[in-house]
């Protein structure tokens, strides 16, 4: 346990030193604030809570941005240290290889959580400061949006590690990471949509659709944030959500599995790898 | 003496490449061992086997009573390792880097300041490692290897990039550790530098140990000639001719002669050189260097195949 903490601490220290933390936080805060003020202008007074609007636009943004940031931090984590030669020394210390993975994961997740919390939190605070009318349920939805964004980040950090332990060169890891991002964020949904249109409901039942939605962590995230209550009506995801029999608990569970499986696979591959 | 490292019948192959074919050796407390061999002879693989970073294909390795690849970490706390071309994260300072490694070894972080002073990094401790020169990085590498009074030190090409002054202070540190009962394994190309510093020399070539013993042992086995060089007194050029004719002597210049004396005839040659009335102003006895010994053993193996 101590070793995990020591390694996580060093990752955070490095993140602070090479400005990763600063850059990520500023980026998320800038985008969140922009969306908050630009996005709330056109709604006027049509009854939608200002914060709900922000949730819809921010979670749409998160689907693109959070996996990208997570993969950027994580794809280099193992293969980069191998290539620079620092991993050899680290593994000669009394540290288990799974502890190296777990420690890096904890550190990177802390960096991402900090940036998300601060960046998106700034949007909520700014909105509250302008005196917008916000009810309590919207605040709850906003908090769960932040937490699930962090969870989405955790998924892609874990996937990034798996990529990082499987390849021999940093360049390869970078290429695969971009591929993973394109697949889950853009291609998968387009392909799924095309499939549904072609199929016209003949073969693909609700159950299959649920499985297909859970098979992509970004879809699980989307359903979790864009389908509940007022937000669902706003985002147009309510329709999908009504047909899909997926409770928030199932979706969170799916995301947790999406963290656990790649992370354990990464630890397993890493422990077998010869230096 | 207590055996700290036992390597028995170890082989290691990476796919089709046999990095280590068959090596057995035992290192004891208070010994300084020079591990000598070409690039790719299997030195680094042997060190990685002792660290447990790779598992042997055959044979067993035990370090401080543990199998290093088994995932037990008690032994690793008493182990210092300096990799060849050591590198660190560029963003952190020397002090932060050393503190990180100290925490992993459960060594009090307060002691790292003294260690940095000892390797001559006291002034640069709070600068980022990215600004360090190669020699400074090597010193930082050495300081992390010295954390927690290691019982076994595995140093892979430790003095590359160190200037002569630092090289000397490095060997002073090694001597101190040896006096404290540590086993120090130095792998190196710079053989002449190890002379007088290593108790034992292990020569490996293409994954096989081809020689193992003290320098004197190896000299005896190799039976390499000792070079004796003498300077003649005055301007007795004719005397030089006499000597040269007497057998074996080569002229170096007008006043200097040289002979390669076999171990058996060395004493006889020296007697002649030192006898009363011999026109000799000065003479030097140059035993075969580690470089020559190394070349000899490699050639012997080449012929044996």
């Amino acid at each position: 346990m101590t070793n995990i903490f020591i390694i996580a601490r060093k990752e955070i220290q490095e993140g602070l030193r090479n400005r990763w933390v600063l850059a990520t936080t500023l980026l998320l805060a800038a985008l969140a604030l922009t969306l908050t003020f630009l996005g709330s202008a056109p709604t006027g007074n049509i009854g939608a809570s200002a914060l709900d609007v922000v949730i819809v636009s921010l979670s749409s943004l998160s689907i693109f941005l959070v996996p990208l940031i997570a993969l950027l931090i994580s794809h280099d984590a193992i293969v980069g240290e191998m290539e620079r030669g620092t991993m050899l020394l680290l593994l000669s210390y009394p540290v288990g290889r799974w502890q190296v993975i777990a420690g890096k994961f904890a550190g990177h997740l802390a960096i991402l959580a900090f940036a998300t919390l601060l960046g998106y939190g700034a949007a909520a605070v700014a909105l509250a400061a302008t005196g917008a009318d916000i009810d309590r349920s919207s605040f709850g939805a906003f908090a769960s949006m932040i937490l699930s964004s962090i969870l989405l980040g955790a998924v892609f950090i874990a996937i990034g590690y798996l990529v990082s332990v499987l390849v021999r060169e940093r360049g390869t890891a970078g290429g695969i990471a971009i591929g993973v991002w394109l697949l889950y964020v853009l291609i998968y949904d387009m392909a799924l949509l095309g499939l549904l249109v072609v199929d016209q409901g003949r073969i693909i039942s609700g159950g299959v659709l649920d499985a297909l939605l859970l098979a992509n962590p970004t879809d699980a995230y989307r359903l979790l944030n864009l389908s509940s209550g007022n937000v669902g009506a706003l985002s147009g995801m309510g329709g999908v959500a009504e047909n899909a029999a997926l409770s928030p608990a199932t979706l969170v569970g799916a995301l947790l599995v999406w963290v656990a499986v790649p992370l354990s696979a990464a630890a397993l591959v890493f422990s077998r790898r010869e230096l | 003496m207590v055996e700290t490292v036992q390597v028995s019948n170890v082989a290691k192959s990476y796919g089709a490449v046999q990095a280590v074919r068959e090596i057995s050796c035992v290192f004891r407390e208070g010994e300084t061992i020079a591990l000598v061999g070409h690039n790719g002879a299997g030195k680094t693989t042997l060190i990685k086997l002792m660290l447990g970073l790779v598992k042997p294909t055959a044979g067993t390795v035990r370090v401080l009573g543990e199998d290093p690849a088994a995932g037990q970490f008690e032994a690793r706390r008493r182990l210092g390792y300096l990799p060849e071309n050591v590198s660190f994260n560029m963003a952190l300072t020397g002090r932060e880097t050393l503190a990180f490694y100290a925490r992993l070894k459960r060594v009090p972080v307060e002691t790292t300041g003294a260690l940095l002073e000892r390797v001559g990094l006291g002034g640069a401790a709070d600068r980022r490692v990215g600004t360090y020169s190669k020699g400074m990085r090597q010193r930082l590498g050495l300081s992390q290897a010295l954390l927690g009074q290691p019982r076994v030190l595995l140093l892979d090409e430790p003095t590359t990039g160190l200037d002569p002054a630092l090289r000397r202070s490095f060997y002073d540190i090694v001597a101190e550790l040896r006096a404290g009962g540590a086993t120090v394994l130095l792998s190196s190309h710079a053989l002449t530098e190890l002379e007088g510093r290593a108790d034992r020399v292990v020569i490996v070539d293409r994954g096989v140990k081809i020689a193992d013993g003290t320098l004197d042992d190896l000299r005896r086995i190799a039976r390499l000639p000792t070079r004796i060089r003498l300077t003649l007194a005055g301007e007795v050029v004719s005397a030089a001719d006499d000597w040269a004719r007497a057998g074996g002597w080569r002229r170096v210049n007008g006043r200097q002669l040289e002979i390669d004396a076999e171990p058996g005839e060395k004493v006889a040659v020296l007697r002649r050189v030192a006898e009363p009335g011999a026109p000799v102003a000065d003479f030097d006895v140059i035993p075969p260097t580690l470089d020559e010994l190394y070349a000899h053993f490699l050639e012997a193996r080449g012929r044996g195949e």
Side-chain angles (χ1 to χ4, degrees), chain A residues 44-194:
Chain A
N45 288 317
I46 51 164
S49 151
L51 199 57
D52 286 341
V53 177
V54 171
I55 293 172
V56 173
S57 38
L58 267 190
S59 45
S60 304
L61 175 76
S62 297
I63 287 172
F64 287 90
L65 209 55
V66 170
L68 189 66
I69 293 171
L71 285 169
L72 274 178
I73 309 181
S74 63
H75 79 275
D76 190 44
I78 307 297
V79 74
E81 284 219 36
M82 291 264 200
E83 225 169 68
R84 285 190 294 270
T86 45
M87 190 56 87
L88 192 65
L89 186 59
L90 179 58
L91 292 182
S92 79
Y93 273 74
V95 192
R97 294 196 185 181
W98 69 271
Q99 290 175 323
V100 173
I101 298 258
K104 281 180 173 288
F105 181 75
H108 284 154
L109 188 61
I111 291 175
L112 197 73
F114 176 82
T116 314
L117 219 57
L118 221 65
Y120 289 0
V125 170
L127 207 58
T130 57
D133 178 27
I134 300 163
D135 58 48
R136 187 163 286 175
S137 73
S138 294
F139 260 123
F142 191 77
S144 88
M145 193 269 293
I146 290 184
L147 287 179
S148 59
S149 298
I150 296 170
L151 190 55
L152 183 69
V155 169
F156 281 90
I157 291 174
I159 294 175
Y161 288 168
L162 184 57
V163 172
S164 199
V165 297
L166 284 172
V167 300
R168 295 260 157 213
E169 279 169 46
R170 292 171 73 180
T172 324
I176 296 177
I178 292 174
V180 166
W181 184 78
L182 281 175
L183 174 70
Y184 284 137
V185 173
L186 298 174
I187 299 170
Y188 191 94
D189 286 347
M190 281 198 267
L192 186 58
L193 203 61

Side-chain angles (χ1 to χ4, degrees), chain A residues 18-32:
Chain A
N18 59 28
R19 313 269 193 280
W20 252 114
V21 177
L22 187 70
T24 319
T25 311
L26 285 182
L27 178 69
L28 289 178
L31 287 169

Side-chain angles (χ1 to χ4, degrees), chain B residues 113-186:
Chain B
L115 205 50
L116 285 166
E117 290 291 339
R118 191 173 172 195
V119 296
L121 278 180
D126 293 313
R127 273 167 49 192
R128 285 160 49 125
V129 176
T131 67
Y132 281 17
S133 69
K134 169 113 175 51
M136 292 165 86
R137 254 175 264 167
Q138 194 71 10
R139 280 186 255 181
L140 185 58
L142 183 62
S143 71
Q144 65 76 28
L146 295 175
L147 281 168
Q149 273 112 30
R151 299 269 317 282
V152 176
L153 263 172
L154 305 173
L155 309 174
D156 203 350
E157 309 275 347
T159 54
T160 44
L162 295 188
D163 57 61
L166 209 69
R167 214 166 271 213
R168 187 164 334 121
S169 68
F170 166 78
Y171 283 113
D172 287 346
I173 292 174
V174 168
E176 243 174 78
L177 289 163
R178 167 166 55 175
T183 306
V184 184
L185 183 76
L186 301 161

Side-chain angles (χ1 to χ4, degrees), chain A residues 165-248:
Chain A
V165 297
L166 284 172
V167 300
R168 295 260 157 213
E169 279 169 46
R170 292 171 73 180
T172 324
I176 296 177
I178 292 174
V180 166
W181 184 78
L182 281 175
L183 174 70
Y184 284 137
V185 173
L186 298 174
I187 299 170
Y188 191 94
D189 286 347
M190 281 198 267
L192 186 58
L193 203 61
L195 194 69
L196 290 177
V197 170
V198 171
D199 184 59
Q200 294 291 336
R202 276 179 302 229
I203 303 164
I204 296 174
S205 63
V208 177
L209 180 64
D210 285 353
L212 285 171
L213 287 173
L214 290 181
N216 181 351
T218 59
D219 279 333
Y221 172 85
R222 206 189 308 263
L223 283 177
L224 193 60
N225 284 298
L226 297 183
S227 56
S228 58
N230 305 331
V231 179
L234 257 181
S235 67
M237 280 291 279
V240 180
E242 270 166 34
N243 291 325
L246 296 168
S247 66

